Amino acid sequence: MHVLSELELTRGSGRVTKSGTTLSGEPSVASAVEWELRLPGRPTLRIHDNHWRNGERDLVVHKPPVMPEMPSALSNLHGRLRSGVAPTPGRRELRVMVYPTYVDQHGRPRINKSLTTEALADRMGLFVLRELTDREDVTLEPAHDRPDLPLVDLDDPQDEKPLQHALFFPADDDETPVLGFVHFRVLPVLRHIDWLAPDGG
């Protein structure tokens, strides 16, 4: 599928088995679904959707044994800043946190956890958030069910209270979390290193 005009995301045909540590710090073995992110003239990036034997799941830019040449900000994203995919208490949907990446003054990718909805739309692009939530049964909501949190309304994004946002999606939807991960975790770094234009591909 095309993420942007020149950026293509494709799912691999098989799974990769690997050992490692889950987000909770438990040593385990994962069966990873591998996705390839291709930009013409650039090294292919591989996204691993890790399904761990202990039931945990996360997304990460896979770090190969031999790294191709690339700017340090992108190199530093490989194997770091994983995004967890988790069940939602009291709901059928799964959830992935929408923490957009930025690159600090030392060239290291970092994440913003709490943003107003307007700030999130400014960072990711309102059209991107609409595209994600136009997918079947996908919603963007406050990550936590608390009465003091404002609603997430993309028609009128609020700019008063920072909060943690999350994408909620059906458990059998394997594409949405990966597509969201590419948009909020990978694309900001590609734009920072000028592999993508600030407003697209």
Side-chain angles (χ1 to χ4, degrees):
M1 78 186 88
H2 284 278
V3 180
L4 297 171
S5 58
E6 295 185 31
L7 198 61
E8 187 172 2
L9 180 67
T10 57
R11 179 175 178 157
S13 58
R15 290 193 175 216
V16 178
T17 300
K18 61 183 187 179
S19 300
T21 304
T22 68
L23 281 175
S24 68
E26 181 179 330
S28 188
V29 175
S31 175
V33 179
E34 189 168 76
W35 296 74
E36 292 187 347
L37 189 62
R38 297 180 180 274
L39 185 65
R42 305 295 187 184
T44 297
L45 304 179
R46 288 177 170 80
I47 312 296
H48 277 193
D49 183 355
N50 296 316
H51 296 250
W52 298 93
R53 285 185 182 171
N54 72 345
E56 292 185 57
R57 180 179 172 190
D58 62 59
L59 297 156
V60 69
V61 180
H62 173 63
K63 185 175 183 178
V66 179
M67 288 285 294
E69 187 173 340
M70 64 183 64
S72 61
L74 181 56
S75 176
N76 288 333
L77 184 61
H78 285 69
R80 299 181 65 246
L81 298 184
R82 290 184 285 174
S83 290
V85 177
T88 309
R91 297 175 58 164
R92 294 182 178 180
E93 300 97 329
L94 298 179
R95 177 188 77 180
V96 62
M97 305 297 283
V98 181
Y99 294 158
T101 309
Y102 68 96
V103 179
D104 69 15
Q105 60 184 356
H106 303 294
R108 298 194 71 85
R110 307 289 185 186
I111 58 173
N112 287 124
K113 290 188 175 182
S114 292
L115 294 167
T116 66
T117 305
E118 184 175 295
L120 180 67
D122 287 343
R123 290 282 297 277
M124 291 185 60
L126 188 58
F127 73 97
V128 168
L129 298 177
R130 290 188 188 281
E131 185 178 80
L132 289 169
T133 54
D134 280 346
R135 299 173 66 85
E136 187 173 359
D137 296 326
V138 176
T139 58
L140 179 69
E141 303 176 33
H144 307 290
D145 186 13
R146 296 201 333 241
D148 61 320
L149 295 178
L151 295 175
V152 174
D153 183 356
L154 295 181
D155 292 327
D156 185 21
Q158 61 87 20
D159 196 31
E160 297 174 0
K161 188 177 183 67
L163 62 128
Q164 295 182 12
H165 295 78
L167 274 180
F168 294 83
F169 56 93
D172 60 355
D173 179 356
D174 289 334
E175 290 186 356
T176 294
V178 179
L179 189 58
F181 179 82
V182 168
H183 276 293
F184 64 71
R185 183 68 81 247
V186 183
L187 264 58
V189 179
L190 296 183
R191 292 190 176 103
H192 176 83
I193 63 175
D194 295 326
W195 282 16
L196 285 177
D199 58 349

